[in-house]
Amino acid sequence: MIEHLLELSHVFNRNRDRIRIFMNMLSPVIAQAQDEHERLYFHHIYEEEEQRLERLDELMPKLSRFLNNEQTIRITNQEFIHLLQDINLEKFGLHNFLEHLDLAMYHFKDEEHNQMLHSMLEQTKADYLWVKKILSLMNENFPSNNSVSVKESEKHNVLTAAHDHEHEAKEKKEAHLSVPAVNSAFPKPSLSVRHKKGLTVGSLKTLR
């Protein structure tokens, strides 16, 4: 079990770095948006990744505490159960991130950004599959009524967003649409939106 948690820690640390790079890429796009739809479109992607980054920043210290005290890693420990639920939620967060990276590739057409996004996409896809495998292995060690699961309300919110992004990506592929590309460096994110709830990327279709 300790080995699985250590692997997950490495995965989540890698993805925190990717999220920060991705947010830095989106910041100038939002600031230089050609219209309100383009601004809202990328702002909501940015906002969802910002919220995910905050979740990871809260999760990592909890994960470290269990790694430093192996005796607490037991199914009868409620804090450990909550940790597993948070980890499972991040599996869906990884799925969302894959959709965000895929969508962004339709905007960033220059070679530098496109290659970076492609690299992050492939690495994140590998991490997503690895997290799924680890959670499956962990589930095998638990009684059937104590499997690693996430709260249904949280799972619904993340899965809904994932579905919306997947639908949006499919529409873009079919229509071969993209918003104007922006060639710029990667300044630090200038946005400070926190804990806001609002439209998903998919729901912005109604604003067109």
Side-chain angles (χ1 to χ4, degrees):
M1 184 69 71
I2 193 74
E3 294 83 1
H4 295 328
L5 293 180
L6 187 59
E7 286 287 344
L8 289 169
S9 177
H10 294 328
V11 168
F12 294 148
N13 270 322
R14 289 196 297 268
N15 277 274
R16 281 201 298 185
D17 293 339
R18 290 176 199 145
I19 292 171
R20 293 187 183 105
I21 293 172
F22 186 57
M23 289 170 66
N24 285 344
M25 292 176 68
L26 293 183
S27 289
V29 178
I30 296 168
Q32 303 169 30
Q34 300 298 309
D35 53 44
E36 187 65 4
H37 175 267
E38 183 182 341
R39 188 189 71 80
L40 285 172
Y41 180 89
F42 286 106
H43 177 267
H44 281 287
I45 292 178
Y46 183 103
E47 186 181 59
E48 287 184 7
E49 291 305 329
E50 184 179 49
Q51 290 172 359
R52 178 168 169 248
L53 185 59
E54 290 171 351
R55 291 201 309 270
L56 284 172
D57 286 341
E58 292 177 0
L59 172 62
M60 295 310 296
K62 297 177 185 177
L63 186 53
S64 295
R65 285 197 296 272
F66 283 98
L67 288 171
N68 293 330
N69 187 1
E70 190 172 351
Q71 297 303 315
T72 60
I73 302 175
R74 58 183 187 275
I75 199 63
T76 55
N77 185 341
Q78 284 301 311
E79 289 187 7
F80 182 56
I81 297 301
H82 293 156
L83 174 73
L84 296 180
Q85 290 176 335
D86 291 341
I87 289 173
N88 201 46
L89 182 61
E90 287 314 310
K91 179 184 73 173
F92 297 107
L94 278 167
H95 182 275
N96 267 11
F97 190 40
L98 285 172
E99 296 294 345
H100 289 161
L101 292 171
D102 190 36
L103 288 169
M105 290 183 71
Y106 288 91
H107 175 79
F108 292 98
K109 298 295 187 180
D110 63 287
E111 184 176 354
E112 180 183 359
H113 287 84
N114 200 267
Q115 286 184 353
M116 181 177 293
L117 286 168
H118 180 73
S119 176
M120 287 196 294
L121 184 68
E122 292 302 312
Q123 293 167 2
T124 302
K125 186 183 300 181
D127 281 343
Y128 172 67
L129 295 174
W130 184 232
V131 169
K132 284 182 65 176
K133 181 177 180 180
I134 291 176
L135 288 175
S136 177
L137 291 172
M138 292 174 73
N139 268 326
E140 292 176 0
N141 295 324
F142 297 146
S144 59
N145 61 335
N146 280 321
S147 60
V148 179
S149 61
V150 68
K151 294 177 182 178
E152 285 304 315
S153 59
E154 294 173 334
K155 180 177 178 181
H156 173 74
N157 289 339
V158 180
L159 283 177
T160 298
H163 172 76
D164 286 341
H165 299 327
E166 185 174 4
H167 184 68
E168 183 76 14
K170 183 178 179 181
E171 282 194 347
K172 279 185 170 289
K173 290 174 183 177
E174 291 175 347
H176 301 286
L177 296 177
S178 64
V179 290
V182 176
N183 294 319
S184 59
F186 302 163
K188 294 182 179 179
S190 58
L191 301 180
S192 59
V193 181
R194 290 183 179 274
H195 303 299
K196 289 187 178 180
K197 305 295 182 183
L199 300 171
T200 63
V201 176
S203 68
L204 292 177
K205 296 191 295 295
T206 60
L207 297 179
R208 294 178 181 175

